[in-house]
Amino acid sequence: MNMIRVLVWEGQHDFAKRLERCLSQHSDAEVIRYDDEVDHPSSTEAMDVDIVFISTTALRRYEKNHLAWKRIEGVPVIWVGSGEQSIYATTPLSERVVLPAYFNCASLSAVLKHTLHVVTQGATAQQLPADDAIPPTELPMAKDGDFVYQSPCMHRLVGNARLYGALSVNVLIRGASGTGKEYVARLVADSHPEYRSGPFVPVNCAAIPDALFESLFFGHVRGAFTGAVRDHQGFLREANNGTLYLDEIGDLPFYQQVKLLRALEDGVIHPVGSNETMRINFRLVTATNRPLINMIRDGTFRLDLYHRISVVELYIPTLQERGGDEKWLLFTHAFRSALKKFSDDDVPFPELPNWLKDWVYTSQFPGNVRELFNRAARLAAFYLGHGALEQAECMHLLRAGEIGCETAEACAPPDFSTRAEERSQVLDALEKNQWRRLETAEALGWSRKTLWLKMKKYGLSG
Protein backbone atom coordinates (compact mmCIF):
# COMPACT_ATOMS: atom_id res chain seq x y z
CA MET A 1 0.00 0.00 0.00
CA ASN A 2 1.44 3.39 -0.95
CA MET A 3 1.46 6.33 1.43
CA ILE A 4 -2.15 7.33 2.18
CA ARG A 5 -3.57 10.21 4.20
CA VAL A 6 -6.81 9.38 6.00
CA LEU A 7 -9.22 12.03 7.27
CA VAL A 8 -11.63 11.12 10.10
CA TRP A 9 -14.92 12.78 11.11
CA GLU A 10 -15.77 10.76 14.17
CA GLY A 11 -19.10 11.97 15.52
CA GLN A 12 -20.60 9.78 18.25
CA HIS A 13 -19.22 6.54 16.85
CA ASP A 14 -15.89 6.21 18.66
CA PHE A 15 -13.75 4.56 16.01
CA ALA A 16 -10.79 6.88 15.32
CA LYS A 17 -8.47 5.14 17.81
CA ARG A 18 -9.45 1.74 16.44
CA LEU A 19 -8.82 3.01 12.93
CA GLU A 20 -5.38 4.28 13.91
CA ARG A 21 -4.59 0.98 15.62
CA CYS A 22 -5.60 -1.05 12.55
CA LEU A 23 -3.64 1.21 10.21
CA SER A 24 -0.55 1.20 12.46
CA GLN A 25 0.54 -1.99 10.76
CA HIS A 26 1.01 0.19 7.67
CA SER A 27 3.79 2.63 8.49
CA ASP A 28 2.83 4.61 5.40
CA ALA A 29 -0.68 5.56 6.61
CA GLU A 30 -1.39 8.88 8.34
CA VAL A 31 -4.66 9.62 10.18
CA ILE A 32 -5.90 13.22 10.44
CA ARG A 33 -8.87 14.21 12.61
CA TYR A 34 -11.17 16.92 11.31
CA ASP A 35 -12.04 17.95 14.87
CA ASP A 36 -8.41 18.96 15.36
CA GLU A 37 -8.60 21.57 12.60
CA VAL A 38 -9.56 24.41 14.93
CA ASP A 39 -6.65 26.46 13.63
CA HIS A 40 -8.08 26.59 10.12
CA PRO A 41 -11.87 27.00 10.49
CA SER A 42 -12.24 29.28 7.48
CA SER A 43 -9.79 27.65 5.10
CA THR A 44 -11.09 27.06 1.57
CA GLU A 45 -8.17 24.98 0.34
CA ALA A 46 -8.81 21.36 -0.59
CA MET A 47 -7.63 18.90 2.05
CA ASP A 48 -4.65 16.85 0.95
CA VAL A 49 -6.14 13.46 1.81
CA ASP A 50 -6.72 10.23 -0.08
CA ILE A 51 -9.78 8.92 1.70
CA VAL A 52 -12.29 10.09 4.33
CA PHE A 53 -13.98 8.08 7.09
CA ILE A 54 -17.16 9.75 8.40
CA SER A 55 -19.41 8.52 11.21
CA THR A 56 -23.06 8.41 10.18
CA THR A 57 -23.79 10.29 13.41
CA ALA A 58 -21.45 13.10 12.36
CA LEU A 59 -23.74 13.98 9.49
CA ARG A 60 -26.02 15.83 11.88
CA ARG A 61 -23.16 18.21 12.63
CA TYR A 62 -21.61 18.55 9.19
CA GLU A 63 -24.40 18.25 6.64
CA LYS A 64 -24.92 22.05 6.74
CA ASN A 65 -21.19 22.76 6.64
CA HIS A 66 -20.81 23.36 2.91
CA LEU A 67 -17.26 24.63 3.37
CA ALA A 68 -16.19 21.34 4.96
CA TRP A 69 -17.80 19.34 2.14
CA LYS A 70 -16.15 21.62 -0.41
CA ARG A 71 -12.74 20.86 1.03
CA ILE A 72 -13.10 17.09 0.44
CA GLU A 73 -14.80 17.38 -2.93
CA GLY A 74 -13.83 14.41 -5.12
CA VAL A 75 -12.34 12.40 -2.23
CA PRO A 76 -13.80 8.90 -1.69
CA VAL A 77 -15.83 8.53 1.52
CA ILE A 78 -16.40 5.47 3.72
CA TRP A 79 -19.28 5.86 6.18
CA VAL A 80 -18.93 4.19 9.56
CA GLY A 81 -22.06 3.12 11.40
CA SER A 82 -25.49 1.95 10.30
CA GLY A 83 -26.49 1.83 6.65
CA GLU A 84 -30.04 2.65 7.76
CA GLN A 85 -29.11 6.28 8.49
CA SER A 86 -30.49 8.86 6.04
CA ILE A 87 -27.08 9.69 4.63
CA TYR A 88 -27.58 8.85 1.00
CA ALA A 89 -28.98 12.17 -0.20
CA THR A 90 -25.77 14.00 0.66
CA THR A 91 -23.00 11.46 0.25
CA PRO A 92 -20.34 12.49 -2.27
CA LEU A 93 -20.06 8.96 -3.68
CA SER A 94 -22.40 7.28 -6.13
CA GLU A 95 -21.41 3.91 -4.65
CA ARG A 96 -22.28 4.18 -0.97
CA VAL A 97 -19.68 2.38 1.14
CA VAL A 98 -20.79 1.72 4.72
CA LEU A 99 -18.49 0.06 7.25
CA PRO A 100 -20.23 -1.35 10.37
CA ALA A 101 -19.53 0.59 13.58
CA TYR A 102 -18.00 -2.56 15.08
CA PHE A 103 -15.55 -3.16 12.25
CA ASN A 104 -12.40 -5.16 12.83
CA CYS A 105 -8.99 -4.74 11.21
CA ALA A 106 -9.66 -7.41 8.59
CA SER A 107 -12.93 -5.87 7.36
CA LEU A 108 -11.36 -2.39 7.44
CA SER A 109 -8.43 -3.53 5.33
CA ALA A 110 -10.70 -5.19 2.77
CA VAL A 111 -13.02 -2.17 2.48
CA LEU A 112 -10.08 0.22 2.25
CA LYS A 113 -8.40 -1.79 -0.50
CA HIS A 114 -11.68 -2.15 -2.37
CA THR A 115 -12.41 1.58 -2.27
CA LEU A 116 -8.91 2.65 -3.25
CA HIS A 117 -8.93 0.07 -6.04
CA VAL A 118 -12.19 1.52 -7.43
CA VAL A 119 -10.66 4.99 -7.35
CA THR A 120 -7.46 3.92 -9.10
CA GLN A 121 -9.50 2.14 -11.78
CA GLY A 122 -10.87 5.52 -12.80
CA ALA A 123 -14.11 5.72 -10.82
CA THR A 124 -14.98 9.38 -10.40
CA ALA A 125 -16.57 10.50 -7.18
CA GLN A 126 -19.58 12.74 -7.63
CA GLN A 127 -19.84 16.19 -6.11
CA LEU A 128 -22.44 16.99 -3.52
CA PRO A 129 -25.76 17.44 -5.30
CA ALA A 130 -27.16 20.94 -5.33
CA ASP A 131 -30.68 21.78 -4.12
CA ASP A 132 -31.93 21.22 -7.66
CA ALA A 133 -30.19 17.88 -8.01
CA ILE A 134 -31.52 15.18 -10.33
CA PRO A 135 -34.58 13.51 -8.77
CA PRO A 136 -34.15 9.85 -7.73
CA THR A 137 -36.49 8.68 -10.51
CA GLU A 138 -34.06 10.04 -13.09
CA LEU A 139 -31.14 7.92 -11.97
CA PRO A 140 -29.56 6.02 -14.87
CA MET A 141 -30.90 2.56 -15.56
CA ALA A 142 -28.54 -0.26 -14.61
CA LYS A 143 -28.78 -3.69 -16.24
CA ASP A 144 -27.10 -6.99 -15.50
CA GLY A 145 -28.81 -9.67 -17.55
CA ASP A 146 -32.44 -9.72 -16.40
CA PHE A 147 -31.53 -7.82 -13.24
CA VAL A 148 -32.69 -4.29 -14.08
CA TYR A 149 -33.00 -1.44 -11.59
CA GLN A 150 -33.11 2.33 -11.35
CA SER A 151 -34.39 3.39 -7.91
CA PRO A 152 -32.02 4.73 -5.23
CA CYS A 153 -32.79 1.83 -2.88
CA MET A 154 -31.72 -0.69 -5.54
CA HIS A 155 -28.55 1.23 -6.42
CA ARG A 156 -27.77 1.18 -2.70
CA LEU A 157 -28.45 -2.57 -2.49
CA VAL A 158 -26.24 -3.40 -5.48
CA GLY A 159 -23.46 -1.15 -4.18
CA ASN A 160 -23.49 -2.89 -0.80
CA ALA A 161 -23.72 -6.34 -2.42
CA ARG A 162 -20.57 -5.63 -4.41
CA LEU A 163 -18.80 -4.09 -1.42
CA TYR A 164 -19.51 -6.90 1.04
CA GLY A 165 -19.24 -9.48 -1.72
CA ALA A 166 -15.54 -8.64 -1.93
CA LEU A 167 -15.11 -9.59 1.74
CA SER A 168 -14.84 -13.16 3.04
CA VAL A 169 -17.92 -12.87 5.24
CA ASN A 170 -21.18 -14.81 5.31
CA VAL A 171 -24.09 -12.89 3.81
CA LEU A 172 -27.80 -13.26 4.57
CA ILE A 173 -30.20 -11.90 1.94
CA ARG A 174 -33.71 -11.03 3.12
CA GLY A 175 -36.62 -10.25 0.88
CA ALA A 176 -40.15 -11.22 -0.03
CA SER A 177 -40.85 -14.01 -2.51
CA GLY A 178 -40.15 -13.04 -6.11
CA THR A 179 -37.81 -10.12 -5.41
CA GLY A 180 -34.76 -11.73 -7.02
CA LYS A 181 -32.72 -13.09 -4.11
CA GLU A 182 -30.68 -15.46 -6.28
CA TYR A 183 -29.68 -12.60 -8.60
CA VAL A 184 -28.29 -10.73 -5.60
CA ALA A 185 -26.61 -13.91 -4.31
CA ARG A 186 -24.82 -14.33 -7.63
CA LEU A 187 -23.81 -10.67 -7.55
CA VAL A 188 -22.29 -11.21 -4.09
CA ALA A 189 -20.52 -14.36 -5.28
CA ASP A 190 -19.11 -12.73 -8.42
CA SER A 191 -17.66 -9.85 -6.39
CA HIS A 192 -15.18 -11.94 -4.40
CA PRO A 193 -11.64 -11.97 -5.85
CA GLU A 194 -11.08 -15.63 -4.94
CA TYR A 195 -14.40 -17.46 -4.74
CA ARG A 196 -15.87 -15.97 -7.93
CA SER A 197 -13.67 -18.32 -9.99
CA GLY A 198 -15.13 -21.34 -8.20
CA PRO A 199 -18.54 -23.04 -8.52
CA PHE A 200 -21.85 -21.46 -7.50
CA VAL A 201 -24.00 -24.16 -5.89
CA PRO A 202 -27.65 -23.17 -5.28
CA VAL A 203 -29.66 -25.27 -2.82
CA ASN A 204 -33.36 -24.91 -2.02
CA CYS A 205 -33.57 -25.79 1.68
CA ALA A 206 -37.36 -26.14 1.48
CA ALA A 207 -36.99 -29.09 -0.91
CA ILE A 208 -34.55 -31.26 1.10
CA PRO A 209 -36.10 -34.63 2.09
CA ASP A 210 -35.55 -35.40 5.78
CA ALA A 211 -34.01 -38.81 5.16
CA LEU A 212 -31.53 -37.48 2.58
CA PHE A 213 -30.28 -34.36 4.34
CA GLU A 214 -26.88 -35.72 5.42
CA SER A 215 -26.28 -37.46 2.10
CA LEU A 216 -27.22 -34.41 0.03
CA PHE A 217 -25.22 -31.94 2.13
CA PHE A 218 -22.22 -33.97 3.26
CA GLY A 219 -22.09 -36.63 0.55
CA HIS A 220 -21.85 -40.41 0.81
CA VAL A 221 -19.65 -43.25 -0.38
CA ARG A 222 -20.72 -46.16 -2.52
CA GLY A 223 -22.60 -48.80 -0.55
CA ALA A 224 -23.33 -46.49 2.41
CA PHE A 225 -27.02 -47.37 2.16
CA THR A 226 -29.45 -49.11 -0.17
CA GLY A 227 -29.39 -47.34 -3.52
CA ALA A 228 -25.95 -45.73 -3.03
CA VAL A 229 -24.47 -47.21 -6.19
CA ARG A 230 -21.77 -44.54 -6.54
CA ASP A 231 -19.97 -41.93 -4.49
CA HIS A 232 -21.74 -38.57 -4.09
CA GLN A 233 -19.84 -35.39 -3.18
CA GLY A 234 -22.65 -33.49 -1.49
CA PHE A 235 -23.47 -29.80 -1.73
CA LEU A 236 -20.72 -28.64 0.64
CA ARG A 237 -17.94 -30.39 -1.28
CA GLU A 238 -19.41 -29.30 -4.63
CA ALA A 239 -19.10 -25.71 -3.45
CA ASN A 240 -15.46 -26.10 -2.36
CA ASN A 241 -13.44 -23.00 -3.32
CA GLY A 242 -16.66 -21.40 -4.53
CA THR A 243 -20.01 -20.22 -3.17
CA LEU A 244 -22.73 -22.24 -1.46
CA TYR A 245 -26.10 -20.51 -1.78
CA LEU A 246 -28.76 -21.79 0.63
CA ASP A 247 -32.14 -20.44 -0.45
CA GLU A 248 -35.07 -20.42 2.00
CA ILE A 249 -32.77 -21.13 4.96
CA GLY A 250 -35.73 -20.40 7.25
CA ASP A 251 -37.48 -23.56 6.00
CA LEU A 252 -34.68 -25.84 7.19
CA PRO A 253 -35.99 -28.09 10.02
CA PHE A 254 -34.59 -27.34 13.48
CA TYR A 255 -32.67 -30.62 13.89
CA GLN A 256 -31.05 -30.17 10.46
CA GLN A 257 -29.91 -26.70 11.48
CA VAL A 258 -27.75 -28.28 14.21
CA LYS A 259 -25.94 -30.51 11.72
CA LEU A 260 -25.38 -27.66 9.28
CA LEU A 261 -24.06 -25.36 12.03
CA ARG A 262 -21.44 -27.90 13.12
CA ALA A 263 -20.10 -28.22 9.58
CA LEU A 264 -20.00 -24.42 9.16
CA GLU A 265 -18.14 -23.94 12.44
CA ASP A 266 -15.61 -26.75 12.01
CA GLY A 267 -15.10 -26.50 8.24
CA VAL A 268 -14.98 -30.29 8.24
CA ILE A 269 -17.49 -32.86 6.95
CA HIS A 270 -17.87 -36.60 7.40
CA PRO A 271 -19.49 -38.25 4.32
CA VAL A 272 -22.10 -40.90 5.10
CA GLY A 273 -20.50 -44.36 5.19
CA SER A 274 -16.92 -43.03 5.22
CA ASN A 275 -14.35 -43.23 8.01
CA GLU A 276 -12.55 -40.14 6.71
CA THR A 277 -13.19 -36.48 7.35
CA MET A 278 -12.75 -33.82 4.68
CA ARG A 279 -11.95 -30.14 5.07
CA ILE A 280 -14.03 -27.69 3.05
CA ASN A 281 -13.59 -24.05 2.09
CA PHE A 282 -16.39 -22.03 0.54
CA ARG A 283 -18.24 -18.73 0.72
CA LEU A 284 -21.69 -19.02 2.33
CA VAL A 285 -24.62 -16.94 1.10
CA THR A 286 -28.10 -17.60 2.46
CA ALA A 287 -31.53 -16.16 1.73
CA THR A 288 -34.96 -16.16 3.31
CA ASN A 289 -38.40 -14.62 2.93
CA ARG A 290 -39.24 -15.39 6.55
CA PRO A 291 -38.62 -13.19 9.66
CA LEU A 292 -35.83 -15.16 11.34
CA ILE A 293 -35.86 -12.95 14.45
CA ASN A 294 -39.48 -13.93 15.10
CA MET A 295 -38.64 -17.59 14.42
CA ILE A 296 -35.79 -17.44 16.97
CA ARG A 297 -38.23 -16.03 19.52
CA ASP A 298 -40.67 -18.85 18.70
CA GLY A 299 -37.96 -21.49 19.00
CA THR A 300 -38.05 -22.64 15.37
CA PHE A 301 -34.70 -21.19 14.27
CA ARG A 302 -31.40 -21.44 16.11
CA LEU A 303 -29.88 -18.21 17.39
CA ASP A 304 -26.33 -19.55 17.01
CA LEU A 305 -26.97 -20.45 13.36
CA TYR A 306 -28.44 -17.00 12.75
CA HIS A 307 -25.27 -15.35 14.09
CA ARG A 308 -23.17 -17.66 11.91
CA ILE A 309 -24.95 -16.90 8.62
CA SER A 310 -25.77 -13.20 9.11
CA VAL A 311 -22.43 -11.43 9.47
CA VAL A 312 -23.78 -9.07 6.78
CA GLU A 313 -27.48 -8.71 5.94
CA LEU A 314 -28.85 -7.36 2.65
CA TYR A 315 -32.53 -6.50 2.27
CA ILE A 316 -34.13 -6.54 -1.20
CA PRO A 317 -36.95 -3.98 -1.49
CA THR A 318 -40.36 -5.08 -2.79
CA LEU A 319 -41.72 -3.68 -6.05
CA GLN A 320 -43.93 -1.31 -4.05
CA GLU A 321 -40.86 0.05 -2.26
CA ARG A 322 -39.01 0.46 -5.55
CA GLY A 323 -41.77 2.72 -6.93
CA GLY A 324 -43.97 3.04 -10.01
CA ASP A 325 -41.20 4.22 -12.34
CA GLU A 326 -39.18 1.10 -11.66
CA LYS A 327 -42.22 -1.16 -12.09
CA TRP A 328 -42.79 0.32 -15.53
CA LEU A 329 -39.09 0.01 -16.38
CA LEU A 330 -39.12 -3.67 -15.43
CA PHE A 331 -42.39 -4.33 -17.26
CA THR A 332 -41.15 -2.87 -20.55
CA HIS A 333 -37.88 -4.78 -20.21
CA ALA A 334 -39.73 -8.05 -19.53
CA PHE A 335 -42.15 -7.41 -22.42
CA ARG A 336 -39.27 -6.80 -24.84
CA SER A 337 -37.42 -9.92 -23.63
CA ALA A 338 -40.56 -12.06 -24.01
CA LEU A 339 -41.09 -10.88 -27.59
CA LYS A 340 -37.57 -12.02 -28.48
CA LYS A 341 -37.99 -15.31 -26.63
CA PHE A 342 -41.39 -16.29 -28.06
CA SER A 343 -40.73 -15.40 -31.71
CA ASP A 344 -38.01 -16.34 -34.15
CA ASP A 345 -38.73 -13.19 -36.13
CA ASP A 346 -37.38 -9.78 -35.24
CA VAL A 347 -40.66 -8.32 -34.00
CA PRO A 348 -40.63 -4.49 -33.68
CA PHE A 349 -41.29 -3.26 -30.16
CA PRO A 350 -44.77 -1.66 -30.14
CA GLU A 351 -45.71 1.60 -28.49
CA LEU A 352 -47.26 0.55 -25.20
CA PRO A 353 -50.55 2.35 -24.42
CA ASN A 354 -51.08 4.73 -21.52
CA TRP A 355 -53.78 2.58 -19.95
CA LEU A 356 -51.22 -0.20 -19.59
CA LYS A 357 -48.74 2.15 -17.93
CA ASP A 358 -51.43 3.29 -15.51
CA TRP A 359 -52.26 -0.32 -14.66
CA VAL A 360 -48.62 -1.17 -13.97
CA TYR A 361 -48.15 1.92 -11.79
CA THR A 362 -51.22 1.20 -9.65
CA SER A 363 -50.95 -2.61 -9.38
CA GLN A 364 -49.67 -4.12 -6.13
CA PHE A 365 -47.88 -7.21 -7.58
CA PRO A 366 -47.81 -9.30 -4.37
CA GLY A 367 -45.54 -11.75 -6.20
CA ASN A 368 -43.09 -8.93 -6.90
CA VAL A 369 -40.73 -9.18 -9.90
CA ARG A 370 -41.67 -12.77 -10.63
CA GLU A 371 -45.37 -11.87 -10.94
CA LEU A 372 -44.65 -8.75 -12.99
CA PHE A 373 -42.53 -10.76 -15.44
CA ASN A 374 -45.34 -13.31 -15.70
CA ARG A 375 -47.86 -10.60 -16.63
CA ALA A 376 -45.47 -9.04 -19.15
CA ALA A 377 -44.78 -12.40 -20.79
CA ARG A 378 -48.53 -13.16 -20.94
CA LEU A 379 -49.20 -9.84 -22.66
CA ALA A 380 -46.30 -10.36 -25.08
CA ALA A 381 -47.74 -13.73 -26.13
CA PHE A 382 -51.13 -12.09 -26.68
CA TYR A 383 -49.56 -9.35 -28.81
CA LEU A 384 -47.68 -11.88 -30.97
CA GLY A 385 -50.92 -13.74 -31.58
CA HIS A 386 -53.20 -10.75 -32.25
CA GLY A 387 -50.84 -8.02 -33.41
CA ALA A 388 -52.57 -5.43 -31.21
CA LEU A 389 -53.15 -4.48 -27.57
CA GLU A 390 -56.88 -3.93 -27.10
CA GLN A 391 -57.59 -2.67 -23.60
CA ALA A 392 -60.66 -4.77 -22.75
CA GLU A 393 -59.15 -8.11 -23.79
CA CYS A 394 -55.70 -7.29 -22.39
CA MET A 395 -57.06 -6.23 -19.01
CA HIS A 396 -59.01 -9.47 -18.73
CA LEU A 397 -55.82 -11.35 -19.57
CA LEU A 398 -53.67 -9.39 -17.13
CA ARG A 399 -56.10 -9.87 -14.25
CA ALA A 400 -56.58 -13.58 -14.80
CA GLY A 401 -55.19 -15.40 -11.76
CA GLU A 402 -54.61 -12.14 -9.94
CA ILE A 403 -54.41 -12.41 -6.16
CA GLY A 404 -57.13 -10.19 -4.71
CA CYS A 405 -56.26 -7.80 -1.89
CA GLU A 406 -59.05 -6.20 0.05
CA THR A 407 -56.61 -3.92 1.87
CA ALA A 408 -53.09 -2.68 1.30
CA GLU A 409 -52.00 -4.69 4.34
CA ALA A 410 -53.17 -7.90 2.69
CA CYS A 411 -50.64 -7.39 -0.08
CA ALA A 412 -47.87 -6.26 2.22
CA PRO A 413 -44.58 -8.17 2.19
CA PRO A 414 -43.57 -10.46 5.07
CA ASP A 415 -42.96 -8.64 8.33
CA PHE A 416 -39.29 -7.72 8.34
CA SER A 417 -40.34 -5.23 10.98
CA THR A 418 -38.08 -2.40 11.99
CA ARG A 419 -39.09 -3.25 15.56
CA ALA A 420 -37.52 -6.72 15.32
CA GLU A 421 -34.48 -5.38 13.51
CA GLU A 422 -33.97 -2.58 16.03
CA ARG A 423 -34.27 -5.00 18.95
CA SER A 424 -31.61 -7.20 17.34
CA GLN A 425 -29.37 -4.17 16.79
CA VAL A 426 -29.72 -3.03 20.41
CA LEU A 427 -29.09 -6.55 21.73
CA ASP A 428 -25.98 -6.96 19.56
CA ALA A 429 -24.61 -3.61 20.75
CA LEU A 430 -25.25 -4.49 24.40
CA GLU A 431 -23.47 -7.83 24.04
CA LYS A 432 -20.50 -6.30 22.24
CA ASN A 433 -20.14 -3.69 25.01
CA GLN A 434 -20.64 -6.27 27.77
CA TRP A 435 -23.97 -4.64 28.71
CA ARG A 436 -22.31 -1.37 29.73
CA ARG A 437 -25.01 1.18 29.00
CA LEU A 438 -22.84 4.24 28.54
CA GLU A 439 -20.57 2.58 25.96
CA THR A 440 -23.58 0.99 24.23
CA ALA A 441 -25.46 4.28 24.01
CA GLU A 442 -22.38 6.03 22.55
CA ALA A 443 -21.85 3.24 20.02
CA LEU A 444 -25.47 3.53 18.87
CA GLY A 445 -25.36 7.32 18.82
CA TRP A 446 -28.10 7.57 21.49
CA SER A 447 -28.40 9.15 24.92
CA ARG A 448 -28.42 6.87 27.96
CA LYS A 449 -32.11 7.67 28.49
CA THR A 450 -32.98 6.67 24.92
CA LEU A 451 -31.10 3.39 25.34
CA TRP A 452 -32.88 2.71 28.64
CA LEU A 453 -36.29 3.33 27.01
CA LYS A 454 -35.41 1.00 24.11
CA MET A 455 -34.26 -1.72 26.52
CA LYS A 456 -37.52 -1.38 28.46
CA LYS A 457 -39.54 -1.46 25.23
CA TYR A 458 -37.92 -4.68 24.03
CA GLY A 459 -37.68 -6.43 27.39
CA LEU A 460 -33.89 -6.31 27.59
CA SER A 461 -32.22 -6.14 30.98
CA GLY A 462 -28.77 -6.81 32.26
Side-chain angles (χ1 to χ4, degrees):
M1 182 184 294
N2 298 326
M3 174 63 182
I4 61 169
R5 288 168 58 84
V6 180
L7 180 68
V8 176
W9 288 358
E10 193 172 31
Q12 291 177 308
H13 282 140
D14 182 16
F15 68 89
K17 291 182 179 178
R18 194 161 9 119
L19 182 69
E20 290 177 327
R21 186 168 58 252
C22 290
L23 291 177
S24 63
Q25 55 189 291
H26 304 292
S27 58
D28 46 5
E30 178 184 2
V31 176
I32 306 166
R33 295 200 187 194
Y34 179 79
D35 290 342
D36 294 336
E37 288 212 319
V38 293
D39 297 332
H40 310 284
S42 59
S43 174
T44 58
E45 295 182 3
M47 295 182 188
D48 182 20
V49 293
D50 300 292
I51 196 164
V52 181
F53 284 78
I54 306 179
S55 167
T56 53
T57 61
L59 186 66
R60 303 177 203 145
R61 295 175 56 190
Y62 296 113
E63 63 182 343
K64 303 298 183 181
N65 191 337
H66 300 296
L67 177 60
W69 282 115
K70 189 71 175 177
R71 296 191 64 194
I72 62 166
E73 192 172 85
V75 180
V77 172
I78 293 178
W79 294 96
V80 179
S82 170
E84 300 301 318
Q85 303 277 347
S86 300
I87 63 176
Y88 303 109
T90 53
T91 175
L93 284 180
S94 58
E95 181 178 350
R96 286 86 176 185
V97 181
V98 181
L99 188 66
Y102 301 104
F103 66 83
N104 55 32
C105 293
S107 60
L108 168 66
S109 178
V111 170
L112 189 61
K113 289 179 181 179
H114 169 83
T115 304
L116 293 176
H117 174 72
V118 170
V119 173
T120 56
Q121 291 297 310
T124 304
Q126 297 178 349
Q127 299 180 1
L128 258 181
D131 292 339
D132 56 347
I134 299 175
T137 54
E138 295 182 23
L139 287 172
M141 182 189 78
K143 183 174 182 294
D144 182 8
D146 284 334
F147 196 60
V148 179
Y149 56 94
Q150 183 183 38
S151 58
C153 61
M154 291 302 295
H155 275 273
R156 184 159 63 249
L157 166 66
V158 172
N160 283 335
R162 287 174 177 157
L163 166 66
Y164 293 118
L167 311 179
S168 299
V169 296
N170 295 338
V171 176
L172 171 65
I173 301 170
R174 298 183 299 109
S177 178
T179 51
K181 293 187 286 293
E182 186 166 339
Y183 279 113
V184 176
R186 289 184 181 274
L187 181 61
V188 170
D190 292 341
S191 299
H192 196 278
E194 176 186 352
Y195 295 122
R196 65 184 176 194
S197 59
F200 181 88
V201 180
V203 179
N204 185 353
C205 294
I208 302 297
D210 289 347
L212 297 180
F213 172 82
E214 292 185 67
S215 172
L216 291 175
F217 271 83
F218 309 132
H220 64 254
V221 297
R222 180 181 178 183
F225 51 84
T226 303
V229 296
R230 61 176 66 88
D231 290 352
H232 174 64
Q233 281 193 323
F235 298 138
L236 274 63
R237 270 203 292 168
E238 288 177 14
N240 200 38
N241 298 320
T243 299
L244 177 66
Y245 171 56
L246 301 181
D247 193 16
E248 307 303 347
I249 186 72
D251 291 332
L252 201 63
F254 195 84
Y255 73 92
Q256 293 180 1
Q257 297 173 24
V258 181
K259 300 175 183 178
L260 177 61
L261 177 63
R262 175 57 62 89
L264 296 178
E265 289 183 336
D266 297 342
V268 173
I269 60 172
H270 190 170
V272 178
S274 174
N275 295 322
E276 299 180 358
T277 58
M278 300 181 182
R279 183 159 294 277
I280 51 177
N281 172 40
F282 56 80
R283 168 69 172 282
L284 178 66
V285 180
T286 55
T288 184
N289 65 356
R290 305 183 66 181
L292 297 186
I293 297 298
N294 294 345
M295 294 177 64
I296 292 170
R297 189 181 298 113
D298 296 338
T300 56
F301 198 85
R302 294 184 62 92
L303 179 62
D304 46 8
L305 178 59
Y306 172 77
H307 287 310
R308 172 63 62 178
I309 66 176
S310 64
V311 177
V312 169
E313 293 191 19
L314 300 174
Y315 171 68
I316 306 180
T318 64
L319 270 182
Q320 286 300 102
E321 293 171 309
R322 293 166 70 169
D325 287 344
E326 185 139 331
K327 286 194 287 187
W328 180 242
L329 170 71
L330 288 167
F331 190 91
T332 54
H333 168 72
F335 187 89
R336 181 179 284 106
S337 299
L339 289 180
K340 294 179 180 179
K341 180 180 179 179
F342 297 159
S343 177
D344 296 331
D345 301 328
D346 188 13
V347 179
F349 187 79
E351 181 178 353
L352 299 181
N354 288 332
W355 62 261
L356 178 59
K357 185 174 183 178
D358 292 339
W359 178 81
V360 172
Y361 265 74
T362 56
S363 293
Q364 294 283 346
F365 296 110
N368 290 289
V369 178
R370 187 179 291 120
E371 179 182 347
L372 182 143
F373 274 34
N374 171 276
R375 298 290 189 263
R378 185 181 299 179
L379 196 65
F382 178 88
Y383 175 76
L384 288 172
H386 296 79
L389 295 172
E390 294 295 336
Q391 181 174 359
E393 294 184 359
C394 290
M395 288 302 295
H396 176 76
L397 187 71
L398 289 169
R399 288 172 174 163
E402 191 174 55
I403 299 175
C405 297
E406 296 180 0
T407 64
E409 289 75 12
C411 284
D415 178 24
F416 299 117
S417 63
T418 55
R419 179 185 176 93
E421 292 179 353
E422 186 176 56
R423 184 185 189 280
S424 176
Q425 181 183 14
V426 173
L427 180 59
D428 287 346
L430 285 165
E431 291 176 346
K432 289 173 182 176
N433 288 280
Q434 299 180 349
W435 290 80
R436 293 190 293 267
R437 296 186 183 182
L438 178 60
E439 289 85 344
T440 302
E442 290 177 348
L444 292 168
W446 294 343
S447 66
R448 292 185 66 181
K449 180 178 181 181
T450 299
L451 175 62
W452 180 82
L453 291 173
K454 296 288 186 182
M455 292 176 65
K456 184 178 180 181
K457 175 181 177 181
Y458 298 129
L460 300 173
S461 60

